[in-house]
Amino acid sequence: MNDNYTDQLLKRYNVNKNTITDARQYSDYLLDEYNSEGKLSRTPVFQKALYLYEKFGFDEYIAENFAKFLTCMSVEQTGNDLSCLETAYILSERIYMEYPRNITITETYSECLSNYVSEIIVRDENVKPYIQLCKKEEQLFLNNKDNEHIAENFISILWQMSCFQDEEHCLKYYEFVRYISEKFPENELINDELMYIEENIRKYKELNRKRQQLSDAKQRYKCNRSLFAEYMDAINEVLLSSRDSQERETLKSIATQLFREFGHIPEARGKYVESLSYYARGKDWEILSAHIKKIYNDTPTVYIAESFAQALSDFCNVQTLSKNNSIPFDNLTEAINLLKQLHVSFADNEIIAECLVEGLESLFFKQGRIDAAVTLDEIYRIVAKYPDNDEVFEIYSDACDNYTDIYNSDYKSVLATLQQIRNECSDTLNNDDDDEYSDCDDSDDDETENSIYMKSTHERSHELIAVIDTETTWQDDVMSIGIVIAKAQSLEPIGFRYYLITPECSLGGMYASRLIFGKIKPSLIQSRNVIMEQLIHFLNSYNVDHIYAYNASYDRNHLPELSKFEWYDIMRIAAYKQYNKAIPDNAECFGTGKLKKNYGVQPIMQMLTGDKKYAETHNALLDAMDELKIMRLLGHKTDIYEEARI
């Protein structure tokens, strides 16, 4: 966020950026706004708070308020975005170093550190690289032994560490946690963590017992090779529990040798699939897609199908948790498709049905609004078939809650309008018989071959505007751009382009599934440099100087190549009662007239049209067209948008 933009924000909310008192008031306002927004609308508010902290961080009150932002972000992103957890930890540590005696800031640092460390330990299944981070939390506790909140955070890390080390380390952690539990005997969380560590100690003892059984089975197998099944069972028992990479590699090699010798026996094939599944632990796609799949295709027994389904389910779960965002989304999709095939082949197998639901849950968290609704409906059908399966019902219930929380709507209402949206898109963009559609004459052949353009001759004057929308990857890189050219007076569209940027469009994002929507085809699929050159040429060919967007700072910041154009924010008009007459009288607004919440494209479009079933598509071109429609429905001349210049 640039200084000029935020200074304008400070001025808009009657905050004098040179006074600490007003800056504190603005900090309070941002914290209230952040807590009132839906998850998808909080990022811009957080960016403003970060800027305010950078400018006034020398003031402890503002620093403490920003620490509260970090606590909220860390709690929200646990189990989701590791990069956000890392950011919260780094920023909280920076604030703590400045104000080490402020207990609120200290507690924030402790919680952000604990959430981040716990998450990376779980994802990597390894403690050693993060020992130093663990020691930071330990030091925080030793410096604040009577602080119950910091004690909880420290114990949370100890429990995670106990899951991925050995019995000796686990016993040390147990003694430490027992000491803490004696200090806070009424704390249920601490007592629960103590119980979990006791359970891990039992698991390590059991693993050592299994290792001894494996050693005994190996000796018996040497004397009687017909006992290979017993030997493979012992191998699998240790593979399932062991986290020692060298031990696991050795056991996998032994299992492979046994399979080569006894693979002609169906029982051996099934046990080897188990071995591969336990070894892969959901992380090795080649093992799943090649080796296990081949064995299943050769021997499609129920036993092998269940093992294959469990391996695919584990893979889907790991992809959801993985901190490696570059993992191909296609692999997750293929895993889901394989699970669906198994579910069809073994329609009455409840174990395979459970695995499919677990896989669909992983897919759900990587989808956009509409596709997530479709996935929820698939889960519901399995719930209806197995109403007494508590695990399946719990997944469905949690996913419904997440959907409502993120999108502020019921997924069934989205499904009800999905076909209607597709039909409208087809009518709007793909009516080959309509005389209002034709190719633009000035476009290069390569660019126009697969694109459709609204009519007309180019109006080479300053009476044209552009409306732009972008969609981004998980890494916040632009993957698609939609742009509509319209007449400034009537706001009627006369031309458009839709660009996909490579390789970003293949890296996945919240709305990656909407890149190709219905019959809409991209105008150009190319590298960012090529596309931005073409886009600027397209704007210049219409003599466009003014660009409009909803929450325009987001799109402008992501398209610095267009910084020489004048940018206007549609939201700064649409979200204010004095400009948007569709805002109900009872709507909660700030003194400035701005809505306190629900002022994204979707709720504003619902207000203006009266259509409560309207759902934003999150396709860059269609969203740009909807944003232009919002301008038309607001009914203002473009002059009014001088108030919204950024």
Side-chain angles (χ1 to χ4, degrees), residues 305-330:
E306 289 177 349
S307 297
F308 188 19
Q310 188 59 62
L312 291 168
S313 173
D314 291 343
F315 174 80
C316 294
N317 183 54
V318 168
Q319 303 322 300
T320 300
L321 294 175
S322 176
K323 68 179 182 179
N324 180 6
N325 289 325
S326 64
I327 294 172
F329 185 76
D330 288 347

PDB file of all heavy atoms in Angstrom, residues 305-330:
ATOM      1  N   ALA A 305      -8.781 -52.499  -2.714  1.00  0.00           N
ATOM      2  CA  ALA A 305      -9.523 -51.264  -2.994  1.00  0.00           C
ATOM      3  C   ALA A 305      -9.597 -50.385  -1.752  1.00  0.00           C
ATOM      4  O   ALA A 305      -9.435 -49.160  -1.828  1.00  0.00           O
ATOM      5  CB  ALA A 305     -10.924 -51.600  -3.498  1.00  0.00           C
ATOM      6  N   GLU A 306      -9.843 -50.988  -0.580  1.00  0.00           N
ATOM      7  CA  GLU A 306      -9.914 -50.207   0.665  1.00  0.00           C
ATOM      8  C   GLU A 306      -8.560 -49.592   1.005  1.00  0.00           C
ATOM      9  O   GLU A 306      -8.482 -48.423   1.421  1.00  0.00           O
ATOM     10  CB  GLU A 306     -10.392 -51.100   1.806  1.00  0.00           C
ATOM     11  CG  GLU A 306     -11.861 -51.480   1.704  1.00  0.00           C
ATOM     12  CD  GLU A 306     -12.302 -52.437   2.803  1.00  0.00           C
ATOM     13  OE1 GLU A 306     -11.403 -52.966   3.524  1.00  0.00           O
ATOM     14  OE2 GLU A 306     -13.510 -52.669   2.941  1.00  0.00           O
ATOM     15  N   SER A 307      -7.491 -50.367   0.813  1.00  0.00           N
ATOM     16  CA  SER A 307      -6.149 -49.837   1.080  1.00  0.00           C
ATOM     17  C   SER A 307      -5.818 -48.702   0.116  1.00  0.00           C
ATOM     18  O   SER A 307      -5.229 -47.687   0.510  1.00  0.00           O
ATOM     19  CB  SER A 307      -5.113 -50.955   0.956  1.00  0.00           C
ATOM     20  OG  SER A 307      -5.332 -51.966   1.908  1.00  0.00           O
ATOM     21  N   PHE A 308      -6.178 -48.873  -1.151  1.00  0.00           N
ATOM     22  CA  PHE A 308      -5.948 -47.845  -2.163  1.00  0.00           C
ATOM     23  C   PHE A 308      -6.727 -46.578  -1.807  1.00  0.00           C
ATOM     24  O   PHE A 308      -6.205 -45.456  -1.878  1.00  0.00           O
ATOM     25  CB  PHE A 308      -6.373 -48.380  -3.527  1.00  0.00           C
ATOM     26  CG  PHE A 308      -6.016 -47.501  -4.695  1.00  0.00           C
ATOM     27  CD1 PHE A 308      -5.024 -46.520  -4.596  1.00  0.00           C
ATOM     28  CD2 PHE A 308      -6.677 -47.656  -5.913  1.00  0.00           C
ATOM     29  CE1 PHE A 308      -4.693 -45.708  -5.685  1.00  0.00           C
ATOM     30  CE2 PHE A 308      -6.359 -46.849  -6.997  1.00  0.00           C
ATOM     31  CZ  PHE A 308      -5.369 -45.879  -6.887  1.00  0.00           C
ATOM     32  N   ALA A 309      -7.988 -46.744  -1.405  1.00  0.00           N
ATOM     33  CA  ALA A 309      -8.825 -45.589  -1.045  1.00  0.00           C
ATOM     34  C   ALA A 309      -8.241 -44.837   0.142  1.00  0.00           C
ATOM     35  O   ALA A 309      -8.213 -43.598   0.161  1.00  0.00           O
ATOM     36  CB  ALA A 309     -10.247 -46.052  -0.742  1.00  0.00           C
ATOM     37  N   GLN A 310      -7.767 -45.578   1.137  1.00  0.00           N
ATOM     38  CA  GLN A 310      -7.175 -44.922   2.301  1.00  0.00           C
ATOM     39  C   GLN A 310      -5.910 -44.162   1.920  1.00  0.00           C
ATOM     40  O   GLN A 310      -5.670 -43.048   2.415  1.00  0.00           O
ATOM     41  CB  GLN A 310      -6.855 -45.964   3.374  1.00  0.00           C
ATOM     42  CG  GLN A 310      -6.408 -45.358   4.701  1.00  0.00           C
ATOM     43  CD  GLN A 310      -7.451 -44.442   5.292  1.00  0.00           C
ATOM     44  OE1 GLN A 310      -8.549 -44.870   5.613  1.00  0.00           O
ATOM     45  NE2 GLN A 310      -7.118 -43.161   5.453  1.00  0.00           N
ATOM     46  N   ALA A 311      -5.112 -44.730   1.031  1.00  0.00           N
ATOM     47  CA  ALA A 311      -3.891 -44.045   0.581  1.00  0.00           C
ATOM     48  C   ALA A 311      -4.240 -42.760  -0.168  1.00  0.00           C
ATOM     49  O   ALA A 311      -3.588 -41.719   0.008  1.00  0.00           O
ATOM     50  CB  ALA A 311      -3.078 -44.977  -0.317  1.00  0.00           C
ATOM     51  N   LEU A 312      -5.251 -42.807  -1.009  1.00  0.00           N
ATOM     52  CA  LEU A 312      -5.683 -41.616  -1.743  1.00  0.00           C
ATOM     53  C   LEU A 312      -6.231 -40.555  -0.795  1.00  0.00           C
ATOM     54  O   LEU A 312      -5.964 -39.355  -0.948  1.00  0.00           O
ATOM     55  CB  LEU A 312      -6.753 -41.993  -2.771  1.00  0.00           C
ATOM     56  CG  LEU A 312      -6.280 -42.831  -3.958  1.00  0.00           C
ATOM     57  CD1 LEU A 312      -7.469 -43.388  -4.727  1.00  0.00           C
ATOM     58  CD2 LEU A 312      -5.395 -42.003  -4.891  1.00  0.00           C
ATOM     59  N   SER A 313      -6.991 -40.991   0.204  1.00  0.00           N
ATOM     60  CA  SER A 313      -7.524 -40.061   1.199  1.00  0.00           C
ATOM     61  C   SER A 313      -6.396 -39.379   1.973  1.00  0.00           C
ATOM     62  O   SER A 313      -6.431 -38.166   2.207  1.00  0.00           O
ATOM     63  CB  SER A 313      -8.445 -40.812   2.162  1.00  0.00           C
ATOM     64  OG  SER A 313      -8.852 -39.980   3.222  1.00  0.00           O
ATOM     65  N   ASP A 314      -5.384 -40.160   2.367  1.00  0.00           N
ATOM     66  CA  ASP A 314      -4.228 -39.586   3.071  1.00  0.00           C
ATOM     67  C   ASP A 314      -3.533 -38.544   2.196  1.00  0.00           C
ATOM     68  O   ASP A 314      -3.107 -37.485   2.680  1.00  0.00           O
ATOM     69  CB  ASP A 314      -3.236 -40.683   3.451  1.00  0.00           C
ATOM     70  CG  ASP A 314      -3.778 -41.602   4.535  1.00  0.00           C
ATOM     71  OD1 ASP A 314      -4.754 -41.218   5.204  1.00  0.00           O
ATOM     72  OD2 ASP A 314      -3.230 -42.712   4.694  1.00  0.00           O
ATOM     73  N   PHE A 315      -3.398 -38.849   0.915  1.00  0.00           N
ATOM     74  CA  PHE A 315      -2.754 -37.907  -0.008  1.00  0.00           C
ATOM     75  C   PHE A 315      -3.529 -36.594  -0.062  1.00  0.00           C
ATOM     76  O   PHE A 315      -2.945 -35.507   0.005  1.00  0.00           O
ATOM     77  CB  PHE A 315      -2.672 -38.517  -1.409  1.00  0.00           C
ATOM     78  CG  PHE A 315      -2.151 -37.575  -2.454  1.00  0.00           C
ATOM     79  CD1 PHE A 315      -0.796 -37.342  -2.580  1.00  0.00           C
ATOM     80  CD2 PHE A 315      -3.019 -36.903  -3.300  1.00  0.00           C
ATOM     81  CE1 PHE A 315      -0.305 -36.461  -3.538  1.00  0.00           C
ATOM     82  CE2 PHE A 315      -2.547 -36.016  -4.259  1.00  0.00           C
ATOM     83  CZ  PHE A 315      -1.183 -35.806  -4.376  1.00  0.00           C
ATOM     84  N   CYS A 316      -4.845 -36.677  -0.195  1.00  0.00           N
ATOM     85  CA  CYS A 316      -5.665 -35.469  -0.257  1.00  0.00           C
ATOM     86  C   CYS A 316      -5.510 -34.628   1.003  1.00  0.00           C
ATOM     87  O   CYS A 316      -5.381 -33.399   0.940  1.00  0.00           O
ATOM     88  CB  CYS A 316      -7.139 -35.836  -0.446  1.00  0.00           C
ATOM     89  SG  CYS A 316      -7.521 -36.620  -2.028  1.00  0.00           S
ATOM     90  N   ASN A 317      -5.487 -35.289   2.149  1.00  0.00           N
ATOM     91  CA  ASN A 317      -5.353 -34.581   3.419  1.00  0.00           C
ATOM     92  C   ASN A 317      -4.005 -33.893   3.529  1.00  0.00           C
ATOM     93  O   ASN A 317      -3.911 -32.741   3.966  1.00  0.00           O
ATOM     94  CB  ASN A 317      -5.534 -35.554   4.580  1.00  0.00           C
ATOM     95  CG  ASN A 317      -5.483 -34.861   5.927  1.00  0.00           C
ATOM     96  OD1 ASN A 317      -6.217 -33.916   6.184  1.00  0.00           O
ATOM     97  ND2 ASN A 317      -4.619 -35.334   6.795  1.00  0.00           N
ATOM     98  N   VAL A 318      -2.951 -34.573   3.104  1.00  0.00           N
ATOM     99  CA  VAL A 318      -1.607 -33.990   3.165  1.00  0.00           C
ATOM    100  C   VAL A 318      -1.505 -32.780   2.244  1.00  0.00           C
ATOM    101  O   VAL A 318      -0.871 -31.776   2.580  1.00  0.00           O
ATOM    102  CB  VAL A 318      -0.542 -35.044   2.801  1.00  0.00           C
ATOM    103  CG1 VAL A 318       0.810 -34.389   2.566  1.00  0.00           C
ATOM    104  CG2 VAL A 318      -0.429 -36.076   3.910  1.00  0.00           C
ATOM    105  N   GLN A 319      -2.148 -32.837   1.073  1.00  0.00           N
ATOM    106  CA  GLN A 319      -2.082 -31.707   0.152  1.00  0.00           C
ATOM    107  C   GLN A 319      -2.767 -30.473   0.732  1.00  0.00           C
ATOM    108  O   GLN A 319      -2.381 -29.344   0.476  1.00  0.00           O
ATOM    109  CB  GLN A 319      -2.716 -32.060  -1.201  1.00  0.00           C
ATOM    110  CG  GLN A 319      -2.114 -33.260  -1.891  1.00  0.00           C
ATOM    111  CD  GLN A 319      -0.607 -33.348  -1.725  1.00  0.00           C
ATOM    112  OE1 GLN A 319       0.135 -32.463  -2.124  1.00  0.00           O
ATOM    113  NE2 GLN A 319      -0.140 -34.423  -1.103  1.00  0.00           N
ATOM    114  N   THR A 320      -3.799 -30.691   1.532  1.00  0.00           N
ATOM    115  CA  THR A 320      -4.480 -29.574   2.181  1.00  0.00           C
ATOM    116  C   THR A 320      -3.571 -28.926   3.218  1.00  0.00           C
ATOM    117  O   THR A 320      -3.535 -27.702   3.363  1.00  0.00           O
ATOM    118  CB  THR A 320      -5.770 -30.054   2.865  1.00  0.00           C
ATOM    119  OG1 THR A 320      -6.627 -30.620   1.875  1.00  0.00           O
ATOM    120  CG2 THR A 320      -6.494 -28.900   3.534  1.00  0.00           C
ATOM    121  N   LEU A 321      -2.803 -29.751   3.953  1.00  0.00           N
ATOM    122  CA  LEU A 321      -1.951 -29.236   5.022  1.00  0.00           C
ATOM    123  C   LEU A 321      -0.588 -28.774   4.543  1.00  0.00           C
ATOM    124  O   LEU A 321       0.075 -27.994   5.212  1.00  0.00           O
ATOM    125  CB  LEU A 321      -1.739 -30.316   6.088  1.00  0.00           C
ATOM    126  CG  LEU A 321      -2.975 -30.746   6.881  1.00  0.00           C
ATOM    127  CD1 LEU A 321      -2.622 -31.901   7.798  1.00  0.00           C
ATOM    128  CD2 LEU A 321      -3.520 -29.579   7.685  1.00  0.00           C
ATOM    129  N   SER A 322      -0.173 -29.238   3.366  1.00  0.00           N
ATOM    130  CA  SER A 322       1.208 -29.011   2.937  1.00  0.00           C
ATOM    131  C   SER A 322       1.539 -27.536   2.826  1.00  0.00           C
ATOM    132  O   SER A 322       0.749 -26.733   2.360  1.00  0.00           O
ATOM    133  CB  SER A 322       1.454 -29.687   1.582  1.00  0.00           C
ATOM    134  OG  SER A 322       2.758 -29.393   1.130  1.00  0.00           O
ATOM    135  N   LYS A 323       2.737 -27.184   3.268  1.00  0.00           N
ATOM    136  CA  LYS A 323       3.185 -25.799   3.114  1.00  0.00           C
ATOM    137  C   LYS A 323       3.768 -25.554   1.730  1.00  0.00           C
ATOM    138  O   LYS A 323       4.122 -24.433   1.393  1.00  0.00           O
ATOM    139  CB  LYS A 323       4.232 -25.460   4.178  1.00  0.00           C
ATOM    140  CG  LYS A 323       5.559 -26.193   4.032  1.00  0.00           C
ATOM    141  CD  LYS A 323       6.523 -25.750   5.122  1.00  0.00           C
ATOM    142  CE  LYS A 323       7.867 -26.423   4.996  1.00  0.00           C
ATOM    143  NZ  LYS A 323       8.801 -25.990   6.036  1.00  0.00           N
ATOM    144  N   ASN A 324       3.848 -26.614   0.915  1.00  0.00           N
ATOM    145  CA  ASN A 324       4.356 -26.467  -0.448  1.00  0.00           C
ATOM    146  C   ASN A 324       3.200 -26.160  -1.383  1.00  0.00           C
ATOM    147  O   ASN A 324       2.509 -27.050  -1.858  1.00  0.00           O
ATOM    148  CB  ASN A 324       5.061 -27.756  -0.884  1.00  0.00           C
ATOM    149  CG  ASN A 324       5.617 -27.654  -2.292  1.00  0.00           C
ATOM    150  OD1 ASN A 324       5.569 -26.585  -2.909  1.00  0.00           O
ATOM    151  ND2 ASN A 324       6.123 -28.753  -2.802  1.00  0.00           N
ATOM    152  N   ASN A 325       2.948 -24.871  -1.659  1.00  0.00           N
ATOM    153  CA  ASN A 325       1.806 -24.468  -2.472  1.00  0.00           C
ATOM    154  C   ASN A 325       1.996 -24.731  -3.953  1.00  0.00           C
ATOM    155  O   ASN A 325       1.115 -24.467  -4.749  1.00  0.00           O
ATOM    156  CB  ASN A 325       1.522 -22.967  -2.273  1.00  0.00           C
ATOM    157  CG  ASN A 325       0.959 -22.692  -0.898  1.00  0.00           C
ATOM    158  OD1 ASN A 325       0.210 -23.494  -0.363  1.00  0.00           O
ATOM    159  ND2 ASN A 325       1.328 -21.560  -0.323  1.00  0.00           N
ATOM    160  N   SER A 326       3.155 -25.234  -4.355  1.00  0.00           N
ATOM    161  CA  SER A 326       3.406 -25.477  -5.777  1.00  0.00           C
ATOM    162  C   SER A 326       2.972 -26.873  -6.206  1.00  0.00           C
ATOM    163  O   SER A 326       3.133 -27.247  -7.351  1.00  0.00           O
ATOM    164  CB  SER A 326       4.898 -25.285  -6.091  1.00  0.00           C
ATOM    165  OG  SER A 326       5.676 -26.242  -5.399  1.00  0.00           O
ATOM    166  N   ILE A 327       2.451 -27.663  -5.269  1.00  0.00           N
ATOM    167  CA  ILE A 327       1.991 -29.010  -5.613  1.00  0.00           C
ATOM    168  C   ILE A 327       0.889 -28.896  -6.655  1.00  0.00           C
ATOM    169  O   ILE A 327      -0.061 -28.142  -6.472  1.00  0.00           O
ATOM    170  CB  ILE A 327       1.474 -29.736  -4.367  1.00  0.00           C
ATOM    171  CG1 ILE A 327       2.636 -29.985  -3.396  1.00  0.00           C
ATOM    172  CG2 ILE A 327       0.804 -31.049  -4.726  1.00  0.00           C
ATOM    173  CD1 ILE A 327       2.223 -30.515  -2.064  1.00  0.00           C
ATOM    174  N   PRO A 328       0.974 -29.633  -7.774  1.00  0.00           N
ATOM    175  CA  PRO A 328      -0.018 -29.496  -8.839  1.00  0.00           C
ATOM    176  C   PRO A 328      -1.425 -29.810  -8.350  1.00  0.00           C
ATOM    177  O   PRO A 328      -1.666 -30.845  -7.729  1.00  0.00           O
ATOM    178  CB  PRO A 328       0.448 -30.519  -9.889  1.00  0.00           C
ATOM    179  CG  PRO A 328       1.891 -30.754  -9.586  1.00  0.00           C
ATOM    180  CD  PRO A 328       2.025 -30.595  -8.106  1.00  0.00           C
ATOM    181  N   PHE A 329      -2.355 -28.883  -8.636  1.00  0.00           N
ATOM    182  CA  PHE A 329      -3.748 -29.098  -8.263  1.00  0.00           C
ATOM    183  C   PHE A 329      -4.317 -30.296  -9.014  1.00  0.00           C
ATOM    184  O   PHE A 329      -5.221 -30.972  -8.522  1.00  0.00           O
ATOM    185  CB  PHE A 329      -4.552 -27.834  -8.585  1.00  0.00           C
ATOM    186  CG  PHE A 329      -5.983 -27.890  -8.131  1.00  0.00           C
ATOM    187  CD1 PHE A 329      -6.298 -27.720  -6.799  1.00  0.00           C
ATOM    188  CD2 PHE A 329      -6.999 -28.121  -9.038  1.00  0.00           C
ATOM    189  CE1 PHE A 329      -7.620 -27.772  -6.371  1.00  0.00           C
ATOM    190  CE2 PHE A 329      -8.318 -28.173  -8.617  1.00  0.00           C
ATOM    191  CZ  PHE A 329      -8.618 -27.994  -7.283  1.00  0.00           C
ATOM    192  N   ASP A 330      -3.774 -30.594 -10.217  1.00  0.00           N
ATOM    193  CA  ASP A 330      -4.258 -31.717 -11.015  1.00  0.00           C
ATOM    194  C   ASP A 330      -4.119 -33.037 -10.260  1.00  0.00           C
ATOM    195  O   ASP A 330      -4.942 -33.942 -10.417  1.00  0.00           O
ATOM    196  CB  ASP A 330      -3.495 -31.808 -12.344  1.00  0.00           C
ATOM    197  CG  ASP A 330      -3.890 -30.695 -13.297  1.00  0.00           C
ATOM    198  OD1 ASP A 330      -4.905 -30.033 -13.016  1.00  0.00           O
ATOM    199  OD2 ASP A 330      -3.183 -30.492 -14.292  1.00  0.00           O
TER     200      ASP A 330
END
